[in-house]
Amino acid sequence: MSHPLTRVLTLLELLQSHTQLTGAELADRLDTDVRTVRRYTAHLRELGIPVEAERGRYGGYRLARGYRMPPLVLTNDEALAVVLGLLAAERLGMGTAAPASAGALAKIERVLPYALREPLTAMRETLSFTANAVIGQAPGTGVLLALAQASRAHETVGIHHQSWRQEHTERDIDPYGVVFHTGRWYVVGHDHLRDSLRTFRIDRIASVTARARHFTAPDGFDPVAHLTSTLAQGTYRWHVEVTIHGPLDEIARRLPRSAVTLTTQPTGVLMHAWAERLDGMAHLLASLEWPFTIHHPDELRQALKNLADQLIAAVQREPGEPPQ
């Protein structure tokens, strides 16, 4: 029982099935120490479970009198969908500052019947992923929900924001949408302080305050497209512009949205991208099945020629012959 989440779930189970247990009794059953038991009970309180503690010789821990976990009715398929969703969210870094996923799993596993709980526990403990876990930048739950509500209601909000330079500002924004991208949460909208369209990382927003003002979002505005376009125009060395002579939908599936922007043109699809190294861009373009035309930089042509020379040399190399 080495996993902390398993111990917290077991602590909840013990408190549900016993009127009261001392810290020493809980520590013994959890194979840990009394100090860790206090930390686990604090986690349960953060999840909204009222754990009471009494000091003294006959003291201990118990759930508040009259408290019971609410009933939860799920089919096997529904329960599996919920558990897999929570596991996937954790893997993708979609967690919030509070241990919400752990709390949801604890409550679900507590109320499910044994016949369903055991297979789902086995799934949670044995499931493996081919992709690496994303280290998410967790925002505050209240901040995230307040921004989502303001975006849906088209209401201006005030935010307390901290920049990457540790500069604190108070500003009003019109939130057009909330976006999750590669382990981070963002809000996209009009910033009244700068009078421009801006993107803010939500984990850098300390608080959100309603302003009792409504706004109208631009027609057809796509927060995802704006965010990926903004991130693609990062502070890299080379600005690349290439026309790819192929269908937009298929090209979009082959290229990372966070690295390029694509625009349909009469002769094909115009790709804008920023790159630190042109040899990597050469490999990316060479992996496509469609012809392309380079607009700039001219240095990209040489990078492609170098790649072509490497491929020709590989084709001509005989078995056992060392690379030059």
Side-chain angles (χ1 to χ4, degrees), residues 18 26 61 103 156 189 203 205 236 252 265 280 300:
H18 294 79
L26 289 170
Y61 295 92
T156 301
D203 60 292
I205 298 176
Y236 297 105
Q265 301 287 327
L300 179 57

Side-chain angles (χ1 to χ4, degrees), residues 7 22 49 67 113 172 190 192 205 207 213 218 301 308 316:
R7 288 177 171 173
T22 67
I49 299 174
Y67 176 80
D172 288 356
H190 179 77
H192 290 249
I205 298 176
S207 62
R213 297 197 306 270
R301 302 178 190 277
Q316 296 175 343

